[in-house]
């Protein structure tokens, strides 16, 4: 049996068994696909405009954020693993921005002054 046939049989069966009804199942399915496409487009945009490291850090922060939202909205249990994931991702996020700030400060101090003070003498400084 091919994957296509399995999916064509599994999706209607899952829709029939969905607690909120078949129509809401398909609405959730379509919106999930749209949201995932926006997420991936945003990730590619961050990679293009900034760096893949920043994109990875944002994705890392979003993982435990979804866990926290699940705890808030779906009343899931907040387990130790979720707390550790949250702490590590926030630590990485803050470390990245702290390192970027230090690097920018170093570059600013090391860069020579490119603008010269205006001279009163039109011929030049004599």
């Amino acid at each position: 049996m091919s994957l296509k046939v399995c999916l064509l049989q599994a999706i209607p069966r899952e829709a029939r068994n969905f607690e909120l009804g078949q129509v809401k199942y398909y609405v959730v399915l379509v919106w999930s696909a749209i949201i995932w496409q926006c997420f991936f487009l945003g990730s590619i945009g961050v990679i293009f405009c900034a760096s893949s490291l920043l994109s990875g850090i944002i994705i890392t922060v979003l993982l435990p954020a979804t866990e926290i939202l699940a705890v808030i909205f779906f009343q899931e249990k907040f387990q130790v693993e979720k707390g550790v994931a949250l702490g590590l991702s926030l630590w990485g996020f803050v470390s990245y921005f702290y390192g970027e700030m230090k690097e920018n400060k170093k570059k600013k101090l090391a860069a020579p002054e490119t603008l010269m003070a205006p001279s009163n003498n039109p011929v030049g400084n004599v």
Side-chain angles (χ1 to χ4, degrees), residues 99-118:
E100 284 294 312
M101 285 178 15
K102 283 183 71 172
E103 189 69 31
N104 286 338
K105 189 175 181 180
K106 253 198 255 184
K107 285 180 184 177
K108 216 178 207 183
L109 292 175
E113 189 66 35
T114 57
L115 297 175
M116 294 179 62

Side-chain angles (χ1 to χ4, degrees), residues 30-102:
V30 168
W31 278 106
S32 293
I34 292 170
I35 289 170
W36 273 104
Q37 289 297 317
C38 292
F39 171 76
F40 285 120
L41 184 64
S43 297
I44 297 300
V46 170
I47 292 170
F48 181 74
C49 293
S51 71
S52 60
L53 176 64
L54 179 61
S55 178
I57 289 171
I58 291 171
I59 291 170
T60 303
V61 167
L62 289 176
L63 287 173
T66 56
E67 294 293 330
I68 290 172
L69 292 174
V71 168
I72 293 169
F73 292 112
F74 299 124
Q75 288 78 38
E76 284 189 8
K77 293 180 181 174
F78 191 79
Q79 299 169 344
V80 174
E81 293 86 5
K82 292 178 186 179
V84 170
L86 176 65
L88 289 174
S89 65
L90 289 177
W91 181 19
F93 195 68
V94 170
S95 296
Y96 172 77
F97 281 110
Y98 179 71
E100 284 294 312
M101 285 178 15
K102 283 183 71 172

